[in-house]
Amino acid sequence: MLNAGAIIGSGNLMDFLDESFPNVGTYEDFHTIDWLREKSRDTDRHRKITSKSKESIWEFIKSLLDAWSGWAVMLLIGLLAGTLAGVIDLAVDWMTDLKEGICLSAFWYSHEQCCWTSNETTFEDRDKCPLWQKWSELLVKQSEIKTILSGFIVRGYLGKWTLLIKTVTLVLVVSSGLSLGKEGPLVHVACCCGNFFSSLFSKYSKNEGKRREVLSAAAAAGVSVAFGAPIGGVLFSLEEVSYYFPLKTLWRSFFAALVAAFTLRPINPFGNSRLVLFYVEYHTPWYMAELFPFILLGVFGGLWGTLFIRCNIAWCRRRKTTKLGKYPVLEVIAVTAITAIVAYPNRYTRRSTSELISELFNDCGALESSQLCDYINDPNMTRPVDDIPHRPAGVGVCMAMWQLALALIFKIVITIFTFGMKIPSGLFIPSMAVGAMAGRMVGIGMEQLAYHHHDWIIFRNWCRPGADCVTPGLYAMVGAAACLGGVTRMTVSLVVIMFELTGGLEYIVPLMAAAVTSKWVADAFGKEGIYEAHIHLNGYPFLDVKDEVTHRTLATHVMRPRRGEPPLSVLTQDSMTVEDVETLIKETDYNGFPVVVPSDSERLIGFAQRRELILALKNARQRQEGIVSDSVMYFTEEPPELPANSPQPLKLRRVLNLSPFTVTDHTPMETVVDIFRKLGLRQCLVTRSGSRLVRKEILRNLRKLKPCQISLWPEWNQPKN
């Protein structure tokens, strides 16, 4: 029996940090970090810096630099993320217009920039100018952040080459017209920036836990530059992607988002001298009676989210399990060709998704030339007594309704097959487009209903004389929030992003009603959002803080090895040779081994990680004289008593964790899961029967108790005991 009461915290918990050989304390690819261990290492590092700062002026300056290194990293992340976002936005606009024509005076200008720099362009004909020539005319005379932030290691996913390739390909895929957005990939780009700058400071490069604090702040900066929503970015990082979010990270996330937004402002990528992507100005307030259609849009958003998640996961699972997954390039070409052929005839699917959403959000003013604003306005028409404005729908509005309906169906179907391909693909903008189209159609329907039946009691109390009763653009905005919430299950951060995105602070209540309703409806069919569903599909060991443990099981039901299986392999304190340990490592695939006193009670003294044992043994054989296969390996302060002719022993106390976390075999599973979540443990020792719990085993057990939830576990993700 392993006696938990015998664990003594004497000595430095992480004193192996003083070891000269490299790579100790790091993790293998596709492994989970130990949050508690990383925090202990950082505490020990900070204690040493503080004590040395009193020795000299130079050490004091070094301590100040270390204290400010976090803010320096946030500043660099904000500057680079904002610059890259601005460059990507400008490049996307240019390449989107390049498909239709080119500016003769300056080929790097987009259509809008080209026309506004021309002296021959008038306001009425602002979309037409001599300097912009269409190609036809010229020819006659162009899924993982969330899991990494939870502590999972994925080598290369946030590397420098990934940053470069993602930045370039993001411009290409967004300007291609595919049903995807740049907002999600921009979060990835910002996290790549955070990972790059973290590698420049040993405080973060040598501690995976501290590195993830930087990545959480980088995610906030990514949303800030993607939408022009710094506050929403911080809340998004807190609510949606971060696994560990202390108060210090909140401040630094806010600072990084602020710097990124300030950097983006002078670049002015949206062309409206504002940070917001879809700035709106509505002249009509919303009324309480409109909450009913707003809630209906929330129901639609929840149903759309459920449909999309199930269909997209089914298609992605088919891609992973059939030959389709072996030809990602052909899949991209096929989807792109289908998108181009089907989308081109419809003006609402032919244009970029961001421009479509902007048009759907806009209110119809006197100078609007959109087909959606083709109302019949006859000043000679007589008005009824209540003086309600006459706004009957014209031919253009009726035609736009049919085109929007067809565009909505196409967008729903094509997004299911586009998201998840081997290209940078964001889901925010396509989901918002689906909701905006549905909302605009509902808004126009409500507007015409109010016009034709203005004598109904609901509209008599609602519509004021001389003012419009309904703002269809508001319905589009509410629908966009509902559909995005149904897919991602966001609530608080979603509402904040939407009002920052549009500047519509007055319309928070409709946005809240739609967001909450969409989440309730979607949760009725399944608790997982699209990102959690893809995490489970890929088999990543992500222990979601939102999951609830409702079954009654104990740690003994999940621990490895279980009762009846061979006992857990352990290391003895001072009686095993180097050859014994190397044989044990070779014959097993465990991630670590408990270290016990060699007696009948097998009293526990610590835990040694597999990777660190391998590195220590390799280093000892190469650098330390006298170490042979028969050398006794010990984890105590003093060497054991050995015969005089024995080879030199090997001390490995520096790789020993003297205080591993332990529970008894009768600990309830809800307690065990809570411990793993809040402490970020990698493994936990079960002390009565000599077993241990691993995060992947807990996840596997939880999923077995949810028969309706299917997830694929790749070979690399099989639990190492």
Side-chain angles (χ1 to χ4, degrees):
M1 179 179 69
L2 299 179
N3 186 5
I7 298 176
I8 302 175
S10 61
N12 192 342
L13 176 63
M14 289 292 125
D15 59 358
F16 68 84
L17 285 174
D18 294 331
E19 193 65 50
S20 58
F21 54 89
N23 295 324
V24 169
T26 59
Y27 300 89
E28 295 284 358
D29 196 12
F30 288 106
H31 282 64
T32 306
I33 72 170
D34 192 330
W35 287 91
L36 192 63
R37 181 171 180 242
E38 297 300 309
K39 184 175 179 58
S40 299
R41 294 177 63 194
D42 183 65
T43 302
D44 185 62
R45 183 197 62 83
H46 188 266
R47 187 184 300 114
K48 291 180 179 179
I49 291 176
T50 304
S51 62
K52 287 185 177 180
S53 64
K54 302 175 182 179
E55 297 176 359
S56 64
I57 296 296
W58 173 240
E59 292 295 338
F60 178 73
I61 294 175
K62 287 172 62 177
S63 68
L64 291 180
L65 293 176
D66 179 80
W68 281 95
S69 61
W71 298 104
V73 171
M74 297 303 112
L75 177 65
L76 294 172
I77 290 173
L79 291 173
L80 184 57
T83 302
L84 288 177
V87 170
I88 289 172
D89 286 329
L90 294 175
V92 166
D93 290 341
W94 176 70
M95 294 200 68
T96 300
D97 291 339
L98 192 64
K99 293 184 295 184
E100 299 180 358
I102 192 171
C103 185
L104 299 180
S105 61
F107 71 90
W108 57 88
Y109 279 174
S110 65
H111 187 183
E112 182 180 6
Q113 292 170 327
C114 183
C115 291
W116 279 115
T117 55
S118 173
N119 296 326
E120 303 176 25
T121 304
T122 62
F123 185 82
E124 290 76 11
D125 296 326
R126 55 189 178 276
D127 293 332
K128 302 175 182 179
C129 61
L131 293 179
W132 180 263
Q133 290 290 309
K134 294 184 177 180
W135 293 116
S136 57
E137 298 172 353
L138 287 175
L139 290 176
V140 174
K141 313 205 242 207
Q142 163 156 311
S143 172
E144 283 71 6
I145 292 299
K146 190 168 183 176
T147 306
I148 293 176
L149 290 180
S150 73
F152 196 54
I153 302 293
V154 183
R155 301 292 182 199
Y157 189 76
L158 299 176
K160 293 183 286 295
W161 280 110
T162 304
L163 173 61
L164 177 61
I165 295 172
K166 193 86 169 186
T167 302
V168 175
T169 55
L170 183 56
V171 174
L172 299 176
V173 298
V174 174
S175 58
S176 69
L178 288 170
S179 183
L180 45 80
K182 65 180 184 300
E183 286 66 29
L186 273 177
V187 176
H188 187 187
V189 168
C191 287
C192 289
C193 297
N195 187 66
F196 171 72
F197 290 122
S198 295
S199 63
L200 304 180
F201 297 86
S202 60
K203 176 181 179 179
Y204 299 103
S205 62
K206 295 183 178 180
N207 190 297
E208 293 293 341
K210 298 293 290 182
R211 185 194 296 267
R212 272 147 186 78
E213 293 182 21
V214 173
L215 296 181
S216 294
V223 175
S224 173
V225 296
F227 293 106
I231 304 298
V234 176
L235 293 177
F236 173 81
S237 180
L238 173 62
E239 178 184 5
E240 189 64 21
V241 299
S242 295
Y243 196 84
Y244 176 65
F245 204 86
L247 185 60
K248 178 171 58 177
T249 303
L250 177 67
W251 299 337
R252 290 178 175 173
S253 299
F254 181 79
F255 179 70
L258 178 68
V259 174
F262 278 160
T263 305
L264 190 65
R265 179 61 184 269
I267 299 176
N268 191 24
F270 307 136
N272 55 10
S273 299
R274 296 184 176 92
L275 281 177
V276 296
L277 182 58
F278 307 116
Y279 181 74
V280 296
E281 281 185 310
Y282 299 140
H283 306 289
T284 304
W286 66 276
Y287 299 91
M288 287 298 297
E290 290 183 285
L291 277 179
F292 180 71
F294 292 155
I295 291 174
L296 288 181
L297 286 174
V299 173
F300 172 79
L303 295 176
W304 144 255
T306 301
L307 172 68
F308 175 80
I309 291 172
R310 293 192 176 183
C311 293
N312 181 256
I313 292 299
W315 176 251
C316 291
R317 183 178 291 114
R318 184 175 181 83
R319 181 189 293 126
K320 291 174 69 72
T321 56
T322 63
K323 292 183 178 180
L324 179 64
K326 298 179 180 179
Y327 306 99
V329 176
L330 290 179
E331 182 188 9
V332 172
I333 293 174
V335 173
T336 304
I338 294 172
T339 302
I341 294 171
V342 179
Y344 189 79
N346 191 327
R347 66 183 302 270
Y348 292 111
T349 53
R350 182 168 63 243
R351 64 194 313 180
S352 71
T353 310
S354 296
E355 293 178 352
L356 170 63
I357 296 174
S358 180
E359 180 177 349
L360 294 172
F361 281 7
N362 280 342
D363 194 13
C364 288
L367 298 176
E368 286 294 334
S369 59
S370 172
Q371 196 175 24
L372 292 168
C373 299
D374 184 21
Y375 291 96
I376 300 175
N377 293 311
D378 188 355
N380 298 322
M381 293 180 64
T382 58
R383 296 174 180 263
V385 178
D386 54 7
D387 200 30
I388 297 177
H390 287 270
R391 289 179 61 86
V395 177
V397 174
C398 297
M399 181 65 69
M401 290 285 282
W402 281 106
Q403 291 178 333
L404 280 178
L406 295 175
L408 176 62
I409 297 172
F410 170 74
K411 207 73 174 177
I412 289 175
V413 174
I414 201 65
T415 304
I416 291 173
F417 294 97
T418 303
F419 185 74
M421 293 195 304
K422 301 299 183 182
I423 54 175
S425 54
L427 191 59
F428 279 37
I429 290 297
S431 298
M432 290 176 63
V434 169
M437 286 186 285
R440 186 76 185 205
M441 289 189 291
V442 171
I444 293 175
M446 288 293 297
E447 182 186 48
Q448 295 305 302
L449 190 66
Y451 166 71
H452 290 290
H453 302 282
H454 56 267
D455 54 340
W456 288 4
I457 185 171
I458 181 175
F459 296 119
R460 254 202 322 264
N461 297 329
W462 174 359
C463 300
R464 297 179 299 176
D468 294 337
C469 298
V470 178
T471 305
L474 173 59
Y475 285 75
M477 186 169 69
V478 172
C483 285
L484 183 55
V487 171
T488 62
R489 302 297 201 273
M490 294 191 304
T491 51
V492 179
S493 59
L494 170 63
V495 173
V496 176
I497 287 174
M498 286 302 299
F499 87 71
E500 283 190 287
L501 188 66
T502 60
L505 185 61
E506 183 181 352
Y507 304 101
I508 284 185
V509 174
L511 293 173
M512 292 175 64
V516 171
T517 303
S518 67
K519 178 174 173 57
W520 284 344
V521 172
D523 283 349
F525 296 94
K527 299 291 185 181
E528 287 185 337
I530 184 62
Y531 302 120
E532 291 83 3
H534 273 272
I535 286 172
H536 291 155
L537 176 66
N538 292 323
Y540 297 143
F542 179 74
L543 196 57
D544 197 344
V545 296
K546 303 172 186 175
D547 288 341
E548 296 181 1
V549 182
T550 57
H551 46 82
R552 298 175 62 85
T553 55
L554 303 176
T556 187
H557 300 140
V558 186
M559 65 187 186
R560 298 289 301 271
R562 297 182 176 87
R563 297 181 186 277
E565 296 180 354
L568 182 68
S569 299
V570 298
L571 300 176
T572 57
Q573 178 179 245
D574 53 9
S575 61
M576 296 182 70
T577 64
V578 170
E579 184 179 15
D580 294 335
V581 177
E582 290 176 338
T583 302
L584 180 63
I585 292 174
K586 183 178 180 180
E587 294 178 351
T588 62
D589 59 354
Y590 302 135
N591 280 329
F593 305 91
V595 180
V596 300
V597 175
S599 62
D600 294 337
S601 63
E602 287 193 339
R603 181 167 55 89
L604 177 69
I605 65 168
F607 188 82
Q609 296 284 349
R610 175 192 185 91
R611 174 179 171 82
E612 290 163 9
L613 282 172
I614 294 174
L615 291 172
L617 292 174
K618 180 180 179 181
N619 177 78
R621 282 187 176 275
Q622 292 177 350
R623 300 185 182 182
Q624 193 170 341
E625 296 182 0
I627 300 300
V628 295
S629 297
D630 293 334
S631 298
V632 173
M633 195 175 69
Y634 64 98
F635 295 93
T636 56
E637 289 287 354
E638 301 296 332
E641 296 184 2
L642 301 173
N645 58 349
S646 298
Q648 181 180 347
L650 174 62
K651 180 180 180 180
L652 288 182
R653 187 174 178 82
R654 295 184 184 277
V655 301
L656 181 65
N657 182 354
L658 292 172
S659 56
F661 204 92
T662 60
V663 296
T664 67
D665 54 355
H666 285 86
T667 304
M669 271 303 296
E670 56 264 30
T671 303
V672 173
V673 172
D674 209 32
I675 289 173
F676 269 80
R677 283 174 178 162
K678 294 183 176 179
L679 297 182
L681 298 182
R682 190 184 187 189
Q683 68 274 315
C684 177
L685 300 182
V686 183
T687 54
R688 182 176 182 182
S689 55
S691 301
R692 73 188 185 116
L693 292 168
V694 186
R695 176 182 291 222
K696 295 176 183 177
E697 276 301 316
I698 292 177
L699 287 165
R700 182 181 292 275
N701 179 262
L702 292 177
R703 288 165 184 165
K704 283 181 179 179
L705 297 173
K706 297 179 181 179
C708 61
Q709 183 177 1
I710 301 175
S711 59
L712 298 178
W713 288 76
E715 184 177 356
W716 54 261
N717 205 19
Q718 296 299 325
K720 289 187 176 182
N721 297 329

